Amino acid sequence: VQDIAFSVDHVQSIYSQAIDNGAISIKSPTKLYYMDKENKETGYYVEIAIVQSPFSDLVHSLVDRSHAGPFREQFFPPFQKVM
């Protein structure tokens, strides 16, 4: 299985469009909250979803880090620009 991650602005809409066009759901849109040292929610989160191509074992991770605030890099390292 190969995973290609995409940094997106609206995980839910892109996930829904992919499913409508034949992609297979691996993980529905989910928010991962950053917890502070006292295990309390900070209000910062990333949202992810994972879909699989119906033609191969290729999967795509959809990641929205726009709500991660100062913890952005702790959730996921910066994406490398391909172009």
Side-chain angles (χ1 to χ4, degrees), residues 15-74:
Y15 170 85
S16 295
Q17 187 175 17
I19 297 301
D20 290 346
N21 285 296
I24 300 163
S25 177
I26 301 297
K27 183 173 190 65
S28 60
T30 304
K31 293 178 181 176
L32 303 174
Y33 285 89
Y34 181 81
M35 308 297 268
D36 65 13
K37 292 179 182 178
E38 288 79 37
N39 209 26
K40 296 179 186 172
E41 281 188 16
T42 61
Y44 297 110
Y45 63 90
V46 294
E47 187 170 17
I48 64 165
I50 303 172
V51 295
Q52 181 177 350
S53 167
F55 308 110
S56 68
D57 60 355
L58 178 67
V59 298
H60 296 296
S61 295
L62 309 172
V63 182
D64 179 358
R65 299 182 298 167
S66 62
H67 304 285
F71 308 104
R72 184 178 182 137
E73 305 307 325
Q74 292 179 13

